[in-house]
Amino acid sequence: MYCANEHRYEKMQYRRVGRSGLKLPEISLGFWHNFGDVDNLANQREIMHTAFDNGITHFDLANNYGPPAGSAEKNFGRIFKEDFANYRDEIIVSSKAGYYMWPGPYGEWGSKKNLIASCDQSLKRTGLDYFDIFYHHRPDPDTPLVETAHALDLLVKQGKALYVGVSNYSPADTAAIAKIFKNWQTPFIIHQPSYNMFNRKIEEGLTDVLATEGLGAIVFSPLAQGLLTNRYLKGIPADSRANRSDSPFLSSEQVEQTLAKVRQLNEIALKRGQTLAEMALAWNLRQPTVASVLIGASRVSQLEDNLKALDNTTFSKAELSAIDTVLNKKS
């Protein structure tokens, strides 16, 4: 029987999500990679235990996480049932729907049919009675926003979700769906966008919308698929993601274009007494609307290293200016 560390909450800071009553740990564990059927189950279990023992109370899933799609939810459900069921009220579990999951006209996007069916399937795979947060994973240009909103609202009314959120939405769509939810008093509290030093798009309007609407953000890809780590400081390793021709998220060209900036950012991090990855995670948390930063971990040591970011999340004006100077330099 798993026994949780009684002092786990002393190791973590928790931030309120927008103007809601919910708090999330500053670092949350994402299941996008490393929890599929292609991954070792014992390693998955150890990562989850280490996360919870260090105060990470939020586990973030989606129906298409794996590979194969659905396997991350299934594996999470198995470990949760065996090890974490007694701690359900101490844990936030989120999932999402919107990307392709099954053939035919109802297996993706944002129709009411898809979202309700997807949530039911995800609950079955995880073995849970409800999700703490359920997201629409991506905007659907062909489905009326009010239909997508109604599906999420219905999930709350059915007791299948406590809160709802969106992911990858534009500032305009976020504001529009927030207005719908406000009229219905739906507990819409959170947006999940990509955000890191090399991708600051959310600062171009989205953070303003979040602040105005009282929403929080939980950001993914904070390390830019490994660019903002020591992985590429000396070039591109043969076994790296960037060296794989089938990787859609990181290419050797991207690494080469940013290598000089990565090395300069690393120098700033070293002066702060941090690794580049630790500084990159802390930098995301400087953003007032960010409630939590999503990390992935393929091994316990990686998770433990990322948690060290919380030892220093304060930046001086000079440090922020130096980082901006590096990021704004033309390659």
Side-chain angles (χ1 to χ4, degrees):
M1 175 65 70
Y2 169 56
C3 295
N5 182 343
E6 292 182 0
H7 302 291
R8 59 192 175 281
Y9 300 121
E10 298 172 5
K11 303 178 180 181
M12 180 63 63
Q13 294 294 315
Y14 300 86
R15 295 188 177 193
R16 192 172 300 278
V17 182
R19 290 197 289 266
S20 76
L22 185 67
K23 292 182 179 181
L24 292 180
E26 289 186 329
I27 287 181
S28 297
L29 181 63
F31 286 65
W32 183 14
H33 301 296
N34 310 310
F35 289 85
D37 285 346
V38 298
D39 302 293
N40 181 274
L41 191 68
N43 187 56
Q44 296 176 37
R45 189 186 304 271
E46 190 175 4
I47 291 171
M48 286 178 62
H49 285 197
T50 303
F52 190 53
D53 279 345
N54 282 276
I56 294 179
T57 54
H58 179 213
F59 297 142
D60 181 77
L61 298 149
N63 58 353
N64 65 324
Y65 288 176
S71 59
E73 288 183 327
K74 182 193 68 176
N75 291 330
F76 167 86
R78 175 179 173 180
I79 297 170
F80 194 91
K81 179 181 179 181
E82 294 173 357
D83 296 6
F84 293 91
N86 290 337
Y87 302 97
R88 179 66 183 97
D89 294 339
E90 298 180 49
I91 292 174
I92 300 294
V93 184
S94 58
S95 196
K96 316 176 195 72
Y99 283 98
Y100 179 84
M101 276 299 288
W102 66 88
Y106 318 118
E108 59 181 328
W109 295 110
S111 71
K112 189 173 182 181
K113 171 68 172 176
N114 172 256
L115 292 180
I116 300 300
S118 292
C119 184
D120 287 343
Q121 291 177 19
S122 291
L123 287 171
K124 185 175 181 179
R125 279 190 292 267
T126 57
L128 300 176
D129 296 324
Y130 67 93
F131 289 113
D132 296 276
I133 306 170
F134 195 79
Y135 295 85
H136 185 216
H137 207 166
R138 61 171 172 172
D140 181 353
D142 298 319
T143 296
L145 205 58
V146 68
E147 179 178 339
T148 298
H150 190 265
L152 294 172
D153 182 71
L154 180 60
L155 290 173
V156 174
K157 288 181 167 63
Q158 291 177 333
K160 296 174 182 176
L162 301 185
Y163 305 91
V164 296
V166 296
S167 182
N168 300 305
Y169 271 48
S170 69
D173 283 343
T174 303
I177 203 168
K179 183 178 180 180
I180 296 169
F181 284 134
K182 188 173 294 183
N183 289 335
W184 296 344
Q185 296 186 318
T186 309
F188 171 51
I189 66 169
I190 195 164
H191 189 300
Q192 187 173 134
S194 174
Y195 185 50
N196 57 64
M197 288 180 175
F198 292 134
N199 176 13
R200 301 177 68 169
K201 191 174 181 180
I202 71 168
E203 297 174 11
E204 301 169 7
L206 182 59
T207 52
D208 291 337
V209 170
L210 298 181
T212 299
E213 299 297 337
L215 303 170
I218 178 168
V219 295
F220 67 89
S221 295
L223 302 180
Q225 301 297 315
L227 273 178
L228 292 167
T229 70
N230 61 9
R231 180 79 162 140
Y232 299 102
L233 288 175
K234 297 181 181 179
I236 303 175
D239 62 345
S240 69
R241 182 179 297 173
N243 206 41
R244 286 170 42 189
S245 60
D246 64 340
S247 175
F249 302 110
L250 189 64
S251 66
S252 57
E253 289 77 15
Q254 285 174 288
V255 176
E256 294 294 348
Q257 289 170 5
T258 59
L259 199 50
K261 292 183 178 182
V262 167
R263 288 169 176 160
Q264 291 172 54
L265 291 170
N266 186 59
E267 290 300 315
I268 298 173
L270 291 175
K271 290 178 183 177
R272 285 171 50 85
Q274 292 182 309
T275 65
L276 176 55
E278 289 166 17
M279 184 179 78
L281 293 172
W283 181 88
N284 276 14
L285 288 166
R286 95 205 184 288
Q287 173 59 247
T289 57
V290 171
S292 186
V293 177
L294 272 171
I295 62 166
S298 59
R299 56 190 182 277
V300 166
S301 59
Q302 190 178 50
L303 172 62
E304 292 172 335
D305 286 344
N306 286 341
L307 283 165
K308 292 176 184 176
L310 302 180
D311 293 339
N312 183 10
T313 58
T314 303
F315 289 84
S316 68
K317 289 183 178 179
E319 287 172 333
L320 290 175
S321 177
I323 290 170
D324 283 342
T325 298
V326 171
L327 295 176
N328 292 330
K329 283 182 180 177
K330 292 185 177 180
S331 300

